Amino acid sequence: TKPVTHHDEL
Amino acid sequence: MNLFRLFGDLSHLASILILLHKIQTTRSCRGISFKTQALYVTVFVARYLDLFYDWVSLYNFSMKVFFISSSIYILYLMKVRFRPTHDPSIDTFRAEYLVGPCVVLALIFNYKFTFPEVLWSFSIFLESVAILPQLFMLQRTGEAETITTHYLAALGAYRALYIPNWIYRYFSEGVVDPIAVIAGLVQTALYVDFFYVYFTKVLQGQKFELPA
């Protein structure tokens, strides 16, 4: 898994 | 977007509307911690400033604008409009004990050592503990108006619903956001005691009262 930041979340 | 996140966001939205409804109809902010509300303004401003330079979607944009503006409006209601109904003497949790460690944590744990990313991390950490002054106040007074407990339940449900959302995203998109997940688990765990009383008393039609 790639540690992606969910900056699309609120 | 998945249903968990959508319902989480709607629950968050509902919590704010319930709080506004409570303040407007009772014309009082009794039982509401000003410190917690001020921390939420800090959280939203720190995290959502990206709405000026990062476009995600209309949904994302509108929610950010709503969360920032409604939280500031709530502070106005508490500090100006219904000021006499707010009793600072029971809102005694030291908020600086939360802000300080969150700043330090954000400087250590972030995805990139840039101003917006550190601010983002800070807001995630601060959000996870921002409810503590409110829960502390509840603990002190030992009881709460039913409408206030509905507000807290909706607010607690919001981050709880994000947990299945993250599990879903892990399997469907193969992505994981350790900072948000760990802070989200902490945030949800803080509500466990509250939810226990909420489910066993308030939803059975009784008053929210903590055992003496």
Side-chain angles (χ1 to χ4, degrees):
Chain A
T1 59
K2 40 188 175 163
V4 172
T5 68
H6 294 163
H7 287 9
D8 56 335
E9 290 181 347
L10 289 161
Chain B
M1 177 58 79
N2 56 63
L3 281 181
F4 300 117
R5 183 144 57 105
L6 179 64
F7 281 112
D9 289 342
L10 291 180
S11 182
H12 195 186
L13 202 65
S15 74
I16 294 170
L17 296 177
I18 293 169
L19 179 59
L20 283 170
H21 177 78
K22 175 240 165 346
I23 297 175
Q24 304 279 15
T25 52
T26 63
R27 304 187 58 77
S28 156
C29 42
R30 194 167 70 94
I32 304 299
S33 163
F34 179 81
K35 289 183 178 176
T36 282
Q37 297 306 320
L39 290 176
Y40 281 129
V41 171
T42 314
V43 165
F44 295 144
V45 170
R47 193 180 315 161
Y48 297 157
L49 278 182
D50 66 353
L51 69 87
F52 291 110
Y53 55 84
D54 209 0
W55 180 262
V56 178
S57 63
L58 181 63
Y59 170 87
N60 189 280
F61 178 84
S62 332
M63 287 295 226
K64 285 173 174 172
V65 171
F66 176 79
F67 288 133
I68 292 180
S69 48
S70 62
S71 61
I72 293 174
Y73 180 59
I74 287 167
L75 286 197
Y76 158 78
L77 290 178
M78 297 189 78
K79 261 298 181 237
V80 183
R81 191 84 200 279
F82 301 117
R83 190 189 180 94
T85 63
H86 172 247
D87 182 4
S89 68
I90 50 166
D91 191 10
T92 49
F93 193 94
R94 301 288 291 269
E96 57 269 37
Y97 291 164
L98 299 177
V99 176
C102 288
V103 170
V104 176
L105 281 175
L107 289 169
I108 303 170
F109 302 101
N110 52 65
Y111 293 122
K112 216 191 222 175
F113 199 72
T114 61
F115 190 63
E117 283 296 316
V118 171
L119 264 190
W120 181 87
S121 275
F122 167 70
S123 81
I124 291 287
F125 294 134
L126 189 62
E127 184 192 341
S128 70
V129 291
I131 198 63
L132 283 176
Q134 177 67 61
L135 293 177
F136 185 71
M137 197 165 149
L138 211 63
Q139 199 70 245
R140 269 192 71 153
T141 52
E143 54 165 46
E145 293 168 59
T146 302
I147 184 91
T148 305
T149 65
H150 293 328
Y151 159 67
L152 286 168
L155 193 59
Y158 141 66
R159 220 50 176 178
L161 281 163
Y162 260 67
I163 296 171
N165 153 65
W166 290 320
I167 296 171
Y168 181 90
R169 293 192 83 172
Y170 171 75
F171 287 108
S172 67
E173 298 165 46
V175 293
V176 64
D177 183 338
I179 292 179
V181 171
I182 291 168
L185 288 172
V186 170
Q187 185 170 346
T188 304
L190 293 181
Y191 284 88
V192 169
D193 274 356
F194 166 80
F195 270 124
Y196 178 75
V197 182
Y198 184 73
F199 283 119
T200 56
K201 283 198 169 174
V202 180
L203 290 187
Q204 315 294 326
Q206 298 173 42
K207 196 175 159 38
F208 184 95
E209 265 176 325
L210 295 173

